[in-house]
Amino acid sequence: MPSSSHVSGTTRRLHVSDEVRDLAPGFGYLAIEAHGLTNGPSDEAGAALLDEATRRLAGRLDGRAPQDDPHLAAWRAAYTAFGSKPSRTRNSAEALARRALADGGLPRINRLVDLYNALSVAHLIPVGGEDLDRIQGGMRLVRATGDEPFVTAAGGAETVEHPEAGEVVWCDDEGVTCRRWNWRQGVRTRLTEDSVSALFLLERMAPMTLDALSAAGAELAETLQKACPGARIEIGDIWTP
């Protein structure tokens, strides 16, 4: 299906709290909804996307460490602002970039996760994917009270943790979906091989331009459409404070 099947500006509006706006006035995001997806195990197409993303990353960094990129440096500053140590709990884009440049390379998870991880590495931007059928109510970016439940995995079993008070988290009506902004996704809403509907979230900090954010979103939508020709892709409007 060609790119004309994309629908702009129709995704649900997410809520960003005033506390988060004050903490990081350079923050912005682009949300993309996708319906009628076909997921499955990692495949050769996804591996090719990840390999190409690693080559694009190496060219962009030109020998620098990922944290020296201005966009990732801005994310480090935001993490420091809410009390997180960015060298210990890295934003998702930096963590993936470091893995891409290491000997082991990028992990293979499943078709959809591999796809958005490749986009994250190529553009050095945090990208997340949530199963829309598992999200309860609205999505909110807030500073945690510390009481919210966060379902994660430890030792092969699901367990419930709680964020630290003041930590920036994404949550829905049931609890936290991602801790420390985009550091660790919960297991409850992650994309599995059975997922058919998804919310993809691309997050930027200034100095990344809104045009660059838009270009990353357009590339993700195009790649999703190629991977899932029957899917309906809805590109939301860019949100900034």
Side-chain angles (χ1 to χ4, degrees), residues 76 79 83-91 164 180 183:
R76 281 187 160 231
Y79 269 50
S84 181
K85 295 181 179 179
S87 293
R88 188 176 66 183
T89 54
R90 297 180 174 89
N91 71 83
E164 297 174 2
R180 293 184 182 139
W183 166 65

Side-chain angles (χ1 to χ4, degrees), residues 9-100:
T10 58
T11 55
R12 67 192 69 192
R13 189 170 181 85
L14 312 181
H15 175 72
V16 179
S17 72
D18 290 341
E19 287 184 318
V20 174
R21 296 179 195 218
D22 293 341
L23 177 76
F27 174 65
Y29 70 78
L30 175 62
I32 297 176
E33 280 192 21
H35 302 269
L37 295 168
T38 51
N39 201 6
S42 298
D43 56 18
E44 292 183 1
L49 285 173
L50 291 167
D51 289 343
E52 175 60 21
T54 299
R55 288 190 288 270
R56 291 168 65 180
L57 171 68
R60 173 177 177 146
L61 292 176
D62 192 24
R64 293 176 299 160
Q67 65 267 23
D68 293 331
D69 178 85
H71 187 219
L72 296 190
W75 273 105
R76 281 187 160 231
Y79 269 50
T80 299
F82 69 80
S84 181
K85 295 181 179 179
S87 293
R88 188 176 66 183
T89 54
R90 297 180 174 89
N91 71 83
S92 63
E94 182 180 335
L96 279 174
R98 289 171 61 89
R99 293 194 68 172

Side-chain angles (χ1 to χ4, degrees), residues 103-184:
D103 291 340
L106 287 164
R108 274 56 169 167
I109 309 298
N110 60 53
R111 291 181 68 230
L112 291 177
V113 175
D114 293 351
L115 188 154
Y116 78 72
N117 278 349
L119 190 285
S120 174
V121 168
H123 289 264
L124 271 185
I125 180 175
V127 182
E130 304 283 355
D131 190 322
L132 276 173
D133 295 327
R134 295 170 181 261
I135 294 174
Q136 303 299 315
M139 293 281 292
R140 302 177 298 281
L141 185 66
V142 301
R143 300 197 71 173
T145 64
D147 297 325
E148 301 91 341
F150 174 71
V151 181
T152 187
E158 289 191 5
T159 184
V160 176
E161 298 178 352
H162 299 277
E164 297 174 2
E167 183 180 319
V168 175
V169 296
W170 280 102
C171 60
D172 63 4
D173 290 353
E174 192 168 319
V176 173
T177 59
C178 196
R179 284 195 59 188
R180 293 184 182 139
W181 217 314
N182 46 49
W183 166 65
R184 178 176 293 170

Side-chain angles (χ1 to χ4, degrees), residues 168-233:
V168 175
V169 296
W170 280 102
C171 60
D172 63 4
D173 290 353
E174 192 168 319
V176 173
T177 59
C178 196
R179 284 195 59 188
R180 293 184 182 139
W181 217 314
N182 46 49
W183 166 65
R184 178 176 293 170
Q185 185 181 30
V187 300
R188 176 171 57 87
T189 59
R190 66 185 176 185
L191 294 176
T192 70
E193 293 182 12
D194 297 324
S195 298
V196 295
S197 297
L199 173 70
F200 298 95
L201 193 63
L202 293 77
E203 300 179 286
R204 64 75 95 159
M205 290 284 178
M208 184 180 193
T209 67
L210 299 184
D211 285 345
L213 175 60
S214 179
E219 182 177 333
L220 178 58
E222 292 285 353
T223 308
L224 282 168
Q225 202 78 77
K226 290 177 182 178
C228 307
R232 176 168 56 92
I233 313 296

